[in-house]
């Protein structure tokens, strides 16, 4: 079983990767998701853990589904057993 630290780090990596692939700055992602830019930064650095509502907002802002976002995080966790 993966620790919550591993999960947080995996989410941080996936969020940053998806944002960069979408060509979005942290500021633009924050605006699209209705979140604060500093919060996006904290998420990407693994210093905060998102709520389910936040995950849904980020997925929508990144033009993906919540399930696809979750799958990417799960895949990242499985890369580092």
């Amino acid at each position: 079983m993966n620790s919550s630290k591993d999960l947080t780090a995996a989410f941080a990596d996936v969020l940053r990767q998806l944002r960069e692939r979408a060509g979005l700055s942290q500021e633009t992602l924050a605006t699209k998701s209705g979140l604060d830019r500093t919060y996006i930064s904290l998420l990407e650095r693994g210093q905060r853990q998102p709520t389910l509502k936040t995950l849904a907002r980020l997925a929508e802002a990144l033009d993906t589904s919540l399930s696809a976002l979750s799958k990417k995080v799960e895949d990242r966790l499985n890369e580092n057993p």
Side-chain angles (χ1 to χ4, degrees):
M1 175 177 249
N2 295 302
S3 73
S4 62
K5 184 176 179 180
D6 293 339
L7 180 59
T8 301
F11 173 76
D13 289 345
V14 168
L15 178 60
R16 184 173 35 260
Q17 179 184 51
L18 289 174
R19 177 183 59 78
E20 290 174 350
R21 282 188 186 166
L24 302 174
S25 65
Q26 288 181 344
E27 185 73 37
T28 303
L29 178 57
T31 300
K32 287 183 73 172
S33 63
L35 300 168
D36 189 86
R37 188 215 48 87
T38 57
Y39 185 60
I40 300 293
S41 176
L42 291 169
L43 290 171
E44 288 188 359
R45 289 184 284 142
Q47 295 182 341
R48 292 290 184 272
Q49 293 183 4
T51 64
L52 189 55
K53 183 176 181 178
T54 297
L55 288 172
R57 291 167 79 172
L58 289 168
E60 184 177 347
L62 292 165
D63 295 320
T64 192
S65 67
L66 185 54
S67 61
L69 177 59
S70 297
K71 177 73 170 121
K72 288 183 184 305
V73 173
E74 183 178 21
D75 290 347
R76 180 61 52 95
L77 279 171
N78 290 332
E79 287 176 4
N80 303 311

